[in-house]
Amino acid sequence: MSSLVAEAVQAELGAYEPWPDNACLYQPYQVEQITFPDYANCLSVKTFLHMCGLEFHTEVRTNAEEMSPSGKVPFIHVGAFLVSELDPIIAFVNTRGFQLSRDLDEGMKSEMRAYMALIENVMVNAELYLAWIDEAVSEEITKPRYGYIHPWPLNRLLPWQKQSNVRARLNSVGWAKKTMDEVCDEVKTCCQALAERLDSKQYFFGDKPTELDALVFGHLYTILTTRLPVSRFAEIVQQFSNLTAFCTRVEENFYKKYGRDF
């Protein structure tokens, strides 16, 4: 709770300062170290900042997770403030006068938040399940990447500890004992809901992106482009042509057009 209060105070104080030229986003090394659930979170935040038109540069650190005020990546360093994870970063950025959903009425904002909660409750848990619970992905990809920077025996112990923590989190919400088929059913239901909401629109609430668009892109693009021993999530997303077209559109409009790296 104290961490949430601190972040709220940081956001309140941040309203009195302009966005600096040297804003920085911290994340683990992308090629060797980052796990794909963390990559999805980092990509969501980057996309949100790009959609707001805010300048920042990315710093990679082997100990980014330990540096983060919440112990999770990514986090941003803006002036005197450190803020981690998408929701607190959105709140912080809003205090600076940048709000993607400012044109939505209260009903639409409530709907947007409901879809963002759906991503958190389904996609995030599914990604954690695939990364840490599925044996093939965990042993071949996630654990070696998570332990990459550490010498033996830490490169074995720390991934095991992280896996235990993830299992406890998933167990608390009833996901740890799901079968892969059940998890895939959850992912498909989530994608169906997103596809129906998007329909033929450019973005989820019309012709301008909102926070939901940044969040969805971060997770779906990661699922579509990450090479894993198990490809069932990507195969599910590919069944929804408007979702894959949406990912291509966001990639073009906020990355390729400006020569930005992911």
mmCIF file of all heavy atoms in Angstrom, residues 95-111:
data_model
loop_
_atom_site.group_PDB
_atom_site.id
_atom_site.type_symbol
_atom_site.label_atom_id
_atom_site.label_comp_id
_atom_site.label_asym_id
_atom_site.label_seq_id
_atom_site.Cartn_x
_atom_site.Cartn_y
_atom_site.Cartn_z
ATOM 1 N N THR A 95 -1.174 13.517 -15.365
ATOM 2 C CA THR A 95 -0.983 14.745 -14.585
ATOM 3 C C THR A 95 -0.180 15.782 -15.351
ATOM 4 O O THR A 95 -0.207 16.974 -15.001
ATOM 5 C CB THR A 95 -0.276 14.456 -13.249
ATOM 6 O OG1 THR A 95 1.069 14.035 -13.486
ATOM 7 C CG2 THR A 95 -1.025 13.405 -12.449
ATOM 8 N N ARG A 96 0.552 15.353 -16.372
ATOM 9 C CA ARG A 96 1.322 16.286 -17.192
ATOM 10 C C ARG A 96 0.481 16.868 -18.332
ATOM 11 O O ARG A 96 0.989 17.607 -19.167
ATOM 12 C CB ARG A 96 2.552 15.577 -17.775
ATOM 13 C CG ARG A 96 3.518 14.994 -16.731
ATOM 14 C CD ARG A 96 4.103 16.091 -15.857
ATOM 15 N NE ARG A 96 5.029 15.573 -14.875
ATOM 16 C CZ ARG A 96 6.358 15.634 -14.990
ATOM 17 N NH1 ARG A 96 6.905 16.173 -16.054
ATOM 18 N NH2 ARG A 96 7.128 15.160 -14.030
ATOM 19 N N GLY A 97 -0.791 16.505 -18.364
ATOM 20 C CA GLY A 97 -1.675 17.057 -19.380
ATOM 21 C C GLY A 97 -1.815 16.197 -20.623
ATOM 22 O O GLY A 97 -2.401 16.634 -21.619
ATOM 23 N N PHE A 98 -1.304 14.963 -20.586
ATOM 24 C CA PHE A 98 -1.402 14.057 -21.729
ATOM 25 C C PHE A 98 -2.362 12.931 -21.376
ATOM 26 O O PHE A 98 -2.060 12.092 -20.540
ATOM 27 C CB PHE A 98 -0.025 13.488 -22.091
ATOM 28 C CG PHE A 98 1.005 14.542 -22.402
ATOM 29 C CD1 PHE A 98 1.858 14.999 -21.413
ATOM 30 C CD2 PHE A 98 1.103 15.079 -23.671
ATOM 31 C CE1 PHE A 98 2.811 15.969 -21.688
ATOM 32 C CE2 PHE A 98 2.049 16.049 -23.960
ATOM 33 C CZ PHE A 98 2.903 16.506 -22.968
ATOM 34 N N GLN A 99 -3.528 12.914 -22.012
ATOM 35 C CA GLN A 99 -4.532 11.889 -21.720
ATOM 36 C C GLN A 99 -5.158 11.430 -23.026
ATOM 37 O O GLN A 99 -5.934 12.162 -23.645
ATOM 38 C CB GLN A 99 -5.604 12.435 -20.770
ATOM 39 C CG GLN A 99 -6.577 11.362 -20.300
ATOM 40 C CD GLN A 99 -7.554 11.892 -19.263
ATOM 41 O OE1 GLN A 99 -7.579 13.076 -18.970
ATOM 42 N NE2 GLN A 99 -8.365 11.003 -18.717
ATOM 43 N N LEU A 100 -4.832 10.232 -23.430
ATOM 44 C CA LEU A 100 -5.313 9.728 -24.718
ATOM 45 C C LEU A 100 -6.827 9.621 -24.769
ATOM 46 O O LEU A 100 -7.434 9.804 -25.822
ATOM 47 C CB LEU A 100 -4.694 8.352 -24.995
ATOM 48 C CG LEU A 100 -3.182 8.307 -25.234
ATOM 49 C CD1 LEU A 100 -2.731 6.860 -25.445
ATOM 50 C CD2 LEU A 100 -2.786 9.159 -26.439
ATOM 51 N N SER A 101 -7.438 9.318 -23.630
ATOM 52 C CA SER A 101 -8.888 9.072 -23.609
ATOM 53 C C SER A 101 -9.689 10.308 -23.211
ATOM 54 O O SER A 101 -10.843 10.194 -22.810
ATOM 55 C CB SER A 101 -9.207 7.916 -22.658
ATOM 56 O OG SER A 101 -8.677 8.166 -21.365
ATOM 57 N N ARG A 102 -9.108 11.498 -23.337
ATOM 58 C CA ARG A 102 -9.785 12.714 -22.874
ATOM 59 C C ARG A 102 -11.109 12.965 -23.603
ATOM 60 O O ARG A 102 -12.025 13.579 -23.047
ATOM 61 C CB ARG A 102 -8.860 13.927 -23.029
ATOM 62 C CG ARG A 102 -8.615 14.356 -24.455
ATOM 63 C CD ARG A 102 -7.897 15.706 -24.528
ATOM 64 N NE ARG A 102 -6.483 15.603 -24.155
ATOM 65 C CZ ARG A 102 -5.985 16.141 -23.054
ATOM 66 N NH1 ARG A 102 -6.771 16.783 -22.219
ATOM 67 N NH2 ARG A 102 -4.709 16.035 -22.788
ATOM 68 N N ASP A 103 -11.230 12.493 -24.843
ATOM 69 C CA ASP A 103 -12.439 12.753 -25.628
ATOM 70 C C ASP A 103 -13.550 11.732 -25.388
ATOM 71 O O ASP A 103 -14.648 11.879 -25.928
ATOM 72 C CB ASP A 103 -12.106 12.780 -27.126
ATOM 73 C CG ASP A 103 -11.199 13.945 -27.500
ATOM 74 O OD1 ASP A 103 -11.237 14.974 -26.804
ATOM 75 O OD2 ASP A 103 -10.432 13.815 -28.474
ATOM 76 N N LEU A 104 -13.280 10.716 -24.599
ATOM 77 C CA LEU A 104 -14.302 9.712 -24.322
ATOM 78 C C LEU A 104 -15.228 10.191 -23.212
ATOM 79 O O LEU A 104 -14.783 10.838 -22.256
ATOM 80 C CB LEU A 104 -13.657 8.387 -23.903
ATOM 81 C CG LEU A 104 -12.685 7.723 -24.881
ATOM 82 C CD1 LEU A 104 -12.254 6.373 -24.331
ATOM 83 C CD2 LEU A 104 -13.290 7.578 -26.263
ATOM 84 N N ASP A 105 -16.502 9.851 -23.309
ATOM 85 C CA ASP A 105 -17.398 10.171 -22.200
ATOM 86 C C ASP A 105 -17.193 9.158 -21.075
ATOM 87 O O ASP A 105 -16.448 8.181 -21.225
ATOM 88 C CB ASP A 105 -18.857 10.220 -22.659
ATOM 89 C CG ASP A 105 -19.356 8.887 -23.221
ATOM 90 O OD1 ASP A 105 -18.923 7.816 -22.746
ATOM 91 O OD2 ASP A 105 -20.207 8.908 -24.141
ATOM 92 N N GLU A 106 -17.841 9.377 -19.944
ATOM 93 C CA GLU A 106 -17.599 8.534 -18.770
ATOM 94 C C GLU A 106 -17.976 7.079 -19.013
ATOM 95 O O GLU A 106 -17.326 6.156 -18.528
ATOM 96 C CB GLU A 106 -18.351 9.089 -17.555
ATOM 97 C CG GLU A 106 -17.753 10.356 -16.993
ATOM 98 C CD GLU A 106 -16.270 10.209 -16.668
ATOM 99 O OE1 GLU A 106 -15.909 9.203 -16.024
ATOM 100 O OE2 GLU A 106 -15.484 11.095 -17.052
ATOM 101 N N GLY A 107 -19.045 6.859 -19.787
ATOM 102 C CA GLY A 107 -19.437 5.486 -20.096
ATOM 103 C C GLY A 107 -18.382 4.770 -20.910
ATOM 104 O O GLY A 107 -18.060 3.605 -20.645
ATOM 105 N N MET A 108 -17.823 5.466 -21.896
ATOM 106 C CA MET A 108 -16.769 4.873 -22.723
ATOM 107 C C MET A 108 -15.502 4.637 -21.915
ATOM 108 O O MET A 108 -14.819 3.628 -22.104
ATOM 109 C CB MET A 108 -16.473 5.778 -23.916
ATOM 110 C CG MET A 108 -17.569 5.804 -24.974
ATOM 111 S SD MET A 108 -17.122 6.862 -26.371
ATOM 112 C CE MET A 108 -18.522 6.543 -27.464
ATOM 113 N N LYS A 109 -15.187 5.566 -21.014
ATOM 114 C CA LYS A 109 -14.000 5.377 -20.171
ATOM 115 C C LYS A 109 -14.154 4.154 -19.273
ATOM 116 O O LYS A 109 -13.202 3.403 -19.063
ATOM 117 C CB LYS A 109 -13.744 6.629 -19.334
ATOM 118 C CG LYS A 109 -13.206 7.803 -20.133
ATOM 119 C CD LYS A 109 -12.963 9.031 -19.249
ATOM 120 C CE LYS A 109 -12.426 10.190 -20.068
ATOM 121 N NZ LYS A 109 -12.210 11.403 -19.248
ATOM 122 N N SER A 110 -15.358 3.958 -18.750
ATOM 123 C CA SER A 110 -15.614 2.776 -17.921
ATOM 124 C C SER A 110 -15.468 1.500 -18.748
ATOM 125 O O SER A 110 -14.910 0.501 -18.283
ATOM 126 C CB SER A 110 -17.013 2.847 -17.315
ATOM 127 O OG SER A 110 -17.113 3.918 -16.408
ATOM 128 N N GLU A 111 -15.979 1.553 -19.984
ATOM 129 C CA GLU A 111 -15.849 0.405 -20.867
ATOM 130 C C GLU A 111 -14.385 0.143 -21.201
ATOM 131 O O GLU A 111 -13.932 -1.011 -21.218
ATOM 132 C CB GLU A 111 -16.649 0.640 -22.147
ATOM 133 C CG GLU A 111 -16.697 -0.580 -23.063
ATOM 134 C CD GLU A 111 -17.499 -0.337 -24.320
ATOM 135 O OE1 GLU A 111 -18.022 0.781 -24.510
ATOM 136 O OE2 GLU A 111 -17.594 -1.276 -25.145
#
